[in-house]
Amino acid sequence: MAETKLAVRRKSRSSKRSRAPLQPVAASSPVARKRPSSEGEGPPAEAPCNNDSEEDMFGDYDSFYGNDSLIAQVADIEHKYLQDKNVKTAGEIVLGNLQSGVHQKEQDNFSASNVVVLKSDKESTCQMCDSDPADGNQELMESTLDDLPSSQLLCFEKMDELSSASRTSPISKGRDECVNSFSDKIRDPLSFYAGAEHRNRTTDTSSDSKCVLFKSESLKDHLKNAMTGNARAQTLQVSKTKQLKEAVLSEEIFVARKAIESSSLDIGPFYGLPSKVKDLFRQLRGIETLYEWQHDCLMLESLQQRKNLIYSLPTSGGKTLVAEIIILQELLCRQKDVLMILPYVAIVQEKVRGLSSFGIELGFLVEEYAGSKGRFPPIKRRVKKSLYIATIEKGHALVNSLIETERICDLGLVVVDELHMLGAGSRGAVLEITLAKILYTSKKTQIIGMSATLNNVGDLQKFLQAEYYTNNFRPVELKEYIKIRDTIYTVDSKTQNGFAFSHLLNFKYSSNLEKADPDHIIALVTEVIPKYSCLIFCPTKKNCENVASMVCKYLKNGLTNDERKAIEEAYSAGVLCLLACTATLAAGVNLPARRVILRAPYVGNDFLKKSQYKQMTGRAGRAGIDSAGESILIVQEKDKHLVQDLVHSPLENCNSNLLLELTKGIQSLLLSLVGLKIAVTHEEVDNFMCCTLLGVQQQLLSKEKSFSEIIKDGLENLIEKGLLKGRISEKDHNSKSTLTITPLGKATYKGSIDLAYCNILYRELKKGLEGLVLESSLHLLYLSTPYDMTSTCSPDWMIYLKQFNQLSAAEQKVADIVGVPESFITKMASGQTIRKNVDHTVVNRFYLTFVLYTLLKETNIWSVSEKFNLSRGYVQNLLNSAASFASCLLHFCEELEEFWVYKALLTELTKQLTYCVKTELIPLMEVAGVLEARAKQLYNAGYKTLAHLAYANPETLVRMIEHLSRRQAKQIISSAKMLLSEKAEALQEEVEELLKVPTDIPGTH
């Protein structure tokens, strides 16, 4: 049969090629193009879509089975009908004979699916004619139309349009009646049965005569046109292969879910996950197999039993892959939301880009919580589960919102990368608070922590109630070196002083180059680039710029034409062989290199810590590319003994920072405990505090005060500040007296405002209500300028005065309101003695406001940094901090009714600070990883909306956008699709919530 069909198709195509194409004329049907009859009657209708051929799609055949087809039978039946004057209705005869004709075909072993026009399913409409219409019911009618393909329903709608389009002449009216007669039969399946309501109607002879006049548009033609329209109509192109794959994926997820629920040791196709996950890791990451330690870790009994886990391996050992597999198990098999906490905004964005492709393929959402991005509380999804990827601060705010809305149990898993950040100042305090709240409020939420640099693991295990796994595996051997003057030493713990001579640098320096590069950085760099990559870690951002400038200057003048061309081409292709960076890049960003150079054993002005040293040197060696990695620490003679201690000392302990960071630490925690009603008495607060890392490490506290007394002092301090209400008993700390939070206290913890600034912020906002200057954004920008950056600001007074003199009268009024007199700035610029008392914090803050104000007007960090004589990194950091603080300020004002006026103003300002670009670029910059320069490229290439990116072709994107790799293009498209899906899901949730029937309607019970 297959060979017969193929032969017929070839014959049909041959016939079409030999026939001259029809000339398009005025359209009478937007659905199908009709052939002129032999008499030439009736103009052909023009199809709405482009087709490969303008001809009749059926050629000289009515079907693949020749002339002996359904259409041929219909033509014969219609011919008999026109000759028979005694028939009451056309519908009975046509359909009765049609039925008998089809049954004859069934006897000849023709399948119904080959001849049915009105349905595509196995149960054809013609088969339904066998049953008595009296037995038909409404459900049958509805199911008939439900089963129709969208293309056929489209055809019927177009026929309706046809029937109402032409009403100007008797001829068109007659044609309408014929078409309506046919379309009515299609729309009402019961009209095909003998005994339908049509048999009770009297025959309209005038209508019959009009149908005779337009014989060329007979039922045969209508059926052919309908079939043609069905073939041409656009439908969703979903291949059966894709449908099959999706079915297999759903089945595997179901099986894996059941296996996990039953605590079975059967790991399924891929560690309890569908085999598609393994395919995605291969396609998107190039990962064919897991390392042995990764397999062992994933098979740990503690993970099978959903216990908390801490695992530690050297940098580049593959820790993240294990975490991602555990995350996918939670999302797909256990159907729970997941929170992943990362240390920096850039790493969050990188992870969002990397996991969006998995979300698109596997059906979960990836939501970014960094900077000013994130919704509190998150939308409660009915179907899809969410992976929240957050910075430490946003992760804390997210957990607070889930506890407040009693949804913390929806969070099935929390993954913390760089767990050693627990010991990192105020950010470590926030991380500790977040984990302590999760442990206390949700016993079913699993916590996974990972790090390359952990020492006092016992304390962390006790705090997190976790098991521990460690391994010394590194995919590439690491060779550590120390450079003193022009000598390279190997780090060797077996020697007496820890260093062993390796070799002398063999690089000829001119006298000028020796002065420019006394540390021989160029010599160390040129040993590996451009063939291999190299990272240079510098103590400060300024030092990064100086090193990069020096190396580039040398490379430009010291290379042959061929070498220079090769490097230029590599740069033009987006491939860099050398990066000068600060220590921040070492924390999680996946940028391995053949050689890592540490410019000095310092981070800023502080001597290098062992954990920082391990993080940086761990970037040396690229798995699958290098056989070994090299790290070289440049040391001055004066630091030699300190470095000897550094490389051989153990890692630093990870200690609690709750007490060291009072306003961001213990006081902030106590305030939120009462606000979230986690603990509302002194006794309950004591119980909670014992579950923190500080509670575990009580032995480290001074002997002056007990742990309980420290807690009591913190609560009393909050009451004095007006953030809490209640009394703490002097004699009995176990008093059952209940503490409550004040409106200011609630606004403070919900806005994540530092307690050191909450009262002054309230006063400034209150003062702003008396005379908020809205002629420009200057006044609002001042209120949104972060307090914690004023201490690092050193105004250039001449620039300050110049900017001040450019203000309008209304803007100068803002300076008077906030407390920055022009006379003060003038005297500072001229070097005169200042007698008037002026708050320098306010003056510095207003200077930073000038920077932000100029940024919003010019949207160019380079020009603004030059104008204010500030580094671009400082300006960028100021902008990011301002956007984040504006978002916090918005949440602060939302909790205080008196500040209602600020809500709309801060919403728009937050968006402006977040993107700091022209309005048309904002939709593109919402996509993770798309910054201003890339957004401009995309916009100029015609990609102007989120949808443009979501439905873009990666090959076209690479061709049209300069310096865009195929991998980057795919990530951008996946991120755009994920964001589009997230927004669509959010709207759908709102619709469903809006249409939800209330359960407490009066009178319904």
Side-chain angles (χ1 to χ4, degrees):
M1 180 61 73
E3 293 178 359
T4 304
K5 289 185 179 181
L6 181 61
V8 173
R9 287 192 181 100
R10 285 176 178 167
K11 182 176 180 181
S12 177
R13 284 196 293 269
S14 174
S15 172
K16 287 200 285 185
R17 279 195 295 269
S18 64
R19 195 186 307 118
L22 297 174
Q23 296 298 321
V25 291
S28 63
S29 170
V31 179
R33 187 184 300 279
K34 293 180 281 193
R35 265 190 310 170
S37 64
S38 57
E39 292 89 350
E41 297 179 33
E46 183 174 337
C49 57
N50 295 326
N51 297 295
D52 294 334
S53 174
E54 297 288 335
E55 312 156 48
D56 183 356
M57 293 178 67
F58 297 98
D60 291 335
Y61 294 91
D62 290 322
S63 79
F64 291 131
Y65 298 100
N67 289 326
D68 188 18
S69 68
L70 174 63
I71 294 180
Q73 296 171 52
V74 170
D76 292 340
I77 294 167
E78 186 179 30
H79 181 68
K80 292 178 183 179
Y81 157 71
L82 293 173
Q83 294 176 344
D84 190 351
K85 302 299 184 181
N86 298 321
V87 178
K88 290 181 180 180
T89 64
E92 291 177 10
I93 298 176
V94 171
L95 294 168
N97 285 280
L98 174 62
Q99 179 182 350
S100 62
V102 172
H103 285 309
Q104 179 63 39
K105 287 299 173 188
E106 288 177 348
Q107 293 171 4
D108 293 337
N109 295 324
F110 286 97
S111 67
S113 61
N114 287 327
V115 295
V116 173
V117 179
L118 301 177
K119 285 187 67 179
S120 60
D121 290 314
K122 293 180 180 179
E123 297 180 5
S124 66
T125 304
C126 299
Q127 289 171 331
M128 290 199 299
C129 296
D130 291 338
S131 61
D132 188 350
D135 297 332
N137 52 38
Q138 184 67 22
E139 182 180 351
L140 183 59
M141 279 183 61
E142 292 175 354
S143 65
T144 303
L145 287 179
D146 287 342
D147 289 343
L148 289 173
S150 58
S151 59
Q152 292 184 3
L153 293 175
L154 176 65
C155 174
F156 299 158
E157 292 172 4
K158 294 298 183 181
M159 295 182 82
D160 260 354
E161 295 174 11
L162 173 67
S163 67
S164 59
S166 306
R167 304 186 184 276
T168 58
S169 67
I171 293 178
S172 63
K173 185 176 181 182
R175 181 181 303 166
D176 291 343
E177 292 176 0
C178 284
V179 173
N180 286 337
S181 174
F182 176 68
S183 62
D184 286 343
K185 291 178 175 60
I186 293 176
R187 292 184 182 282
D188 185 1
L190 294 181
S191 67
F192 288 152
Y193 298 117
E197 62 178 350
H198 297 287
R199 80 170 51 176
N200 297 324
R201 296 179 184 170
T202 58
T203 306
D204 188 344
T205 55
S206 62
S207 177
D208 290 344
S209 63
K210 288 172 184 174
C211 285
V212 173
L213 287 174
F214 295 95
K215 184 177 178 181
S216 64
E217 297 183 19
S218 63
L219 183 58
K220 170 186 173 181
D221 286 333
H222 282 305
L223 286 171
K224 290 182 66 174
N225 291 338
M227 294 170 72
T228 305
N230 292 346
R232 287 174 174 165
Q234 294 182 357
T235 58
L236 291 175
Q237 299 297 318
V238 181
S239 68
K240 290 190 176 181
T241 303
K242 184 175 181 180
Q243 290 177 339
L244 182 61
K245 285 182 177 179
E246 289 177 351
V248 171
L249 174 63
S250 298
E251 178 64 21
E252 287 184 347
I253 289 176
F254 176 77
V255 171
R257 195 179 300 161
K258 289 297 182 184
I260 287 178
E261 287 174 357
S262 63
S263 300
S264 170
L265 293 177
D266 179 13
I267 63 172
F270 184 68
Y271 299 99
L273 290 165
S275 53
K276 184 173 183 179
V277 175
K278 185 176 182 180
D279 295 338
L280 287 173
F281 277 116
R282 183 188 300 114
Q283 295 166 13
L284 302 176
R285 304 279 181 82
I287 297 173
E288 295 286 344
T289 58
L290 270 63
Y291 296 130
E292 184 179 352
W293 83 262
Q294 291 172 328
H295 172 80
D296 293 342
C297 186
L298 287 168
M299 295 304 296
L300 288 173
E301 186 178 350
S302 56
L303 280 183
Q304 307 298 326
Q305 297 175 358
R306 284 186 56 75
K307 292 182 179 179
N308 297 342
L309 177 69
I310 300 170
Y311 63 99
S312 177
L313 281 95
T315 302
S316 302
K319 296 184 295 296
T320 304
L321 177 59
V322 171
E324 289 176 348
I325 292 174
I326 298 172
I327 286 170
L328 293 176
Q329 288 174 344
E330 195 70 29
L331 289 166
L332 302 180
C333 303
R334 297 188 178 92
Q335 289 289 294
K336 289 283 190 177
D337 296 329
V338 176
L339 169 61
M340 187 177 197
I341 299 177
L342 302 170
Y344 303 109
V345 174
I347 304 174
V348 168
Q349 293 175 341
E350 180 186 47
K351 190 58 66 178
V352 169
R353 292 196 302 272
L355 290 177
S356 289
S357 299
F358 286 84
I360 293 295
E361 294 292 333
L362 299 173
F364 62 87
L365 297 174
V366 179
E367 302 185 38
E368 179 182 345
Y369 280 76
S372 63
K373 293 183 179 179
R375 190 191 299 248
F376 304 102
I379 296 174
K380 185 174 176 62
R381 313 288 182 182
R382 297 178 187 272
V383 181
K384 291 186 176 181
K385 297 305 171 184
S386 293
L387 168 58
Y388 310 114
I389 304 181
T391 57
I392 292 172
E393 293 76 14
K394 288 294 180 179
H396 178 223
L398 178 66
V399 167
N400 279 347
S401 69
L402 290 174
I403 293 173
E404 185 178 30
T405 54
E406 298 181 350
R407 289 168 49 196
I408 189 63
C409 290
D410 292 346
L411 206 59
L413 174 68
V414 175
V415 174
V416 182
D417 195 6
E418 311 297 346
L419 186 62
H420 61 270
M421 290 287 289
L422 278 168
S426 61
R427 305 194 75 216
V430 174
L431 181 58
E432 180 181 346
I433 291 170
T434 304
L435 295 175
K437 287 178 179 176
I438 294 169
L439 288 164
Y440 195 83
T441 59
S442 178
K443 303 301 181 184
K444 293 184 178 180
T445 302
Q446 185 181 21
I447 297 177
I448 305 291
M450 52 181 168
S451 174
T453 53
L454 291 177
N455 189 27
N456 57 327
V457 178
D459 287 350
L460 300 181
Q461 279 186 267
K462 190 173 180 181
F463 167 46
L464 296 177
Q465 303 160 31
E467 302 290 320
Y468 180 59
Y469 175 87
T470 187
N471 195 301
N472 291 323
F473 172 82
R474 261 190 66 92
V476 176
E477 181 188 1
L478 173 63
K479 298 178 180 178
E480 299 178 52
Y481 298 98
I482 302 293
K483 175 191 168 297
I484 303 175
R485 294 195 180 94
D486 59 352
T487 306
I488 305 295
Y489 298 90
T490 304
V491 175
D492 187 354
S493 58
K494 297 178 181 178
T495 60
Q496 185 176 358
N497 61 3
F499 301 155
F501 175 81
S502 175
H503 62 276
L504 293 172
L505 279 176
N506 184 20
F507 191 87
K508 295 182 179 179
Y509 267 55
S510 65
S511 58
N512 290 334
L513 186 56
E514 186 73 41
K515 292 178 182 178
D517 181 26
D519 293 324
H520 309 102
I521 293 175
I522 291 173
L524 298 174
V525 164
T526 52
E527 285 181 347
V528 290
I529 69 166
K531 185 177 181 180
Y532 302 107
S533 57
C534 181
L535 281 174
I536 305 176
F537 285 107
C538 303
T540 64
K541 292 180 181 179
K542 187 65 177 176
N543 192 231
C544 283
E545 294 177 4
N546 293 339
V547 169
S549 176
M550 177 189 69
V551 174
C552 288
K553 183 178 179 182
Y554 166 77
L555 291 177
K556 183 177 179 181
N557 295 325
L559 297 175
T560 66
N561 290 337
D562 289 340
E563 289 170 337
R564 186 182 301 120
K565 185 174 184 296
I567 289 178
E568 288 174 355
E569 286 177 349
Y571 182 82
S572 297
V575 180
L576 294 173
C577 58
L578 174 66
L579 282 177
C581 52
T582 60
T584 303
L585 194 72
V589 177
N590 188 24
L591 284 176
R594 173 64 173 268
R595 174 175 287 182
V596 169
I597 300 171
L598 280 67
R599 172 69 178 75
Y602 291 89
V603 174
N605 295 323
D606 300 325
F607 194 78
L608 199 64
K609 296 178 181 178
K610 182 62 177 282
S611 59
Q612 294 169 330
Y613 173 77
K614 284 292 185 182
Q615 287 278 359
M616 294 186 219
T617 59
R619 294 296 160 196
R622 298 165 297 173
I625 300 175
D626 299 324
S627 57
E630 303 169 344
S631 72
I632 301 176
L633 173 59
I634 299 175
V635 180
Q636 304 301 321
E637 192 68 41
K638 63 182 180 65
D639 294 325
K640 182 177 179 180
H641 295 294
L642 292 174
V643 171
Q644 285 177 334
D645 294 336
L646 170 71
V647 296
H648 296 295
S649 64
L651 290 163
E652 297 82 14
N653 285 340
C654 188
N655 295 330
S656 173
N657 279 273
L658 285 182
L659 280 184
L660 298 178
E661 301 288 339
L662 275 178
T663 57
K664 288 186 179 181
I666 190 169
Q667 288 187 9
S668 176
L669 172 56
L670 296 176
L671 178 65
S672 62
L673 287 179
V674 177
L676 293 169
K677 299 180 181 178
I678 297 173
V680 294
T681 68
H682 191 182
E683 182 181 6
E684 291 175 349
V685 172
D686 275 357
N687 291 338
F688 179 94
M689 293 301 297
C690 288
C691 299
T692 63
L693 180 60
L694 178 62
V696 171
Q697 297 176 333
Q698 289 185 42
Q699 71 278 7
L700 300 179
L701 299 175
S702 66
K703 304 300 181 182
E704 297 177 2
K705 288 184 179 180
S706 68
F707 191 38
S708 182
E709 288 174 333
I710 292 172
I711 296 170
K712 177 175 171 290
D713 289 347
L715 291 171
E716 289 178 342
N717 187 271
L718 293 173
I719 293 172
E720 289 175 10
K721 288 184 176 180
L723 303 177
L724 290 181
K725 289 190 297 185
R727 293 186 62 185
I728 304 297
S729 173
E730 293 291 338
K731 297 180 180 179
D732 184 10
H733 77 271
N734 290 326
S735 169
K736 300 297 181 181
S737 174
T738 301
L739 297 166
T740 57
I741 195 166
T742 65
L744 177 59
K746 187 176 182 181
T748 300
Y749 93 78
K750 293 198 72 172
S752 301
I753 303 296
D754 189 337
L755 270 61
Y757 308 120
C758 63
N759 284 297
I760 186 174
L761 174 62
Y762 178 83
R763 289 195 298 270
E764 288 187 332
L765 289 170
K766 191 79 172 174
K767 189 176 181 181
L769 291 178
E770 299 171 4
L772 187 64
V773 179
L774 296 177
E775 185 176 292
S776 71
S777 60
L778 184 65
H779 198 170
L780 202 62
L781 268 176
Y782 174 77
L783 296 173
S784 304
T785 302
Y787 291 96
D788 55 3
M789 291 199 68
T790 57
S791 60
T792 61
C793 174
S794 299
D796 184 314
W797 297 107
M798 291 302 297
I799 295 175
Y800 206 152
L801 181 62
K802 181 180 179 181
Q803 292 296 318
F804 196 99
N805 289 334
Q806 293 175 359
L807 297 178
S808 65
E811 290 170 337
Q812 288 187 1
K813 184 181 178 182
V814 174
D816 292 335
I817 292 173
V818 302
V820 181
E822 182 181 4
S823 59
F824 175 82
I825 299 173
T826 303
K827 289 181 179 180
M828 290 295 293
S830 60
Q832 298 180 32
T833 304
I834 307 297
R835 296 178 181 177
K836 188 176 180 180
N837 290 328
V838 175
D839 189 339
H840 284 267
T841 301
V842 173
V843 173
N844 289 0
R845 192 171 177 223
F846 199 60
Y847 184 74
L848 294 177
T849 302
F850 274 153
V851 178
L852 293 171
Y853 188 49
T854 309
L855 260 177
L856 290 187
K857 288 193 293 185
E858 298 185 9
T859 68
N860 188 311
I861 290 179
W862 289 69
S863 63
V864 173
S865 62
E866 289 179 6
K867 184 174 291 186
F868 285 89
N869 196 25
L870 297 169
S871 70
R872 294 188 303 278
Y874 184 86
V875 175
Q876 181 68 69
N877 188 34
L878 171 63
L879 182 61
N880 294 342
S881 298
S884 183
F885 185 67
S887 176
C888 294
L889 189 59
L890 173 60
H891 294 302
F892 180 88
C893 292
E894 285 175 342
E895 298 302 320
L896 298 169
E897 291 184 7
E898 59 193 301
F899 294 149
W900 63 270
V901 69
Y902 288 112
K903 295 177 187 177
L905 298 172
L906 287 169
T907 300
E908 185 58 31
L909 183 66
T910 300
K911 184 181 290 187
Q912 292 179 22
L913 288 169
T914 299
Y915 301 109
C916 194
V917 293
K918 294 180 179 179
T919 307
E920 62 265 22
L921 297 181
I922 290 179
L924 301 177
M925 290 188 64
E926 288 181 340
V927 178
V930 176
L931 301 180
E932 183 179 4
R934 184 71 77 202
K936 287 179 179 178
Q937 283 183 307
L938 292 167
Y939 189 87
N940 293 334
Y943 298 94
K944 299 184 178 181
T945 66
L946 186 60
H948 282 152
L949 283 182
Y951 296 107
N953 182 293
E955 301 300 327
T956 305
L957 210 58
V958 170
R959 189 171 64 253
M960 296 182 69
I961 306 300
E962 193 176 8
H963 302 316
L964 183 69
S965 68
R966 187 170 285 99
R967 176 174 172 272
Q968 290 171 326
K970 289 180 178 179
Q971 283 189 339
I972 287 174
I973 292 171
S974 294
S975 297
K977 282 182 179 178
M978 178 56 66
L979 187 56
L980 196 63
S981 174
E982 182 187 328
K983 290 188 174 186
E985 289 276 340
L987 291 174
Q988 184 63 34
E989 299 289 344
E990 289 183 20
V991 170
E992 291 183 7
E993 189 64 31
L994 186 64
L995 298 178
K996 187 178 180 181
V997 179
T999 57
D1000 57 348
I1001 301 175
T1004 57
H1005 298 288

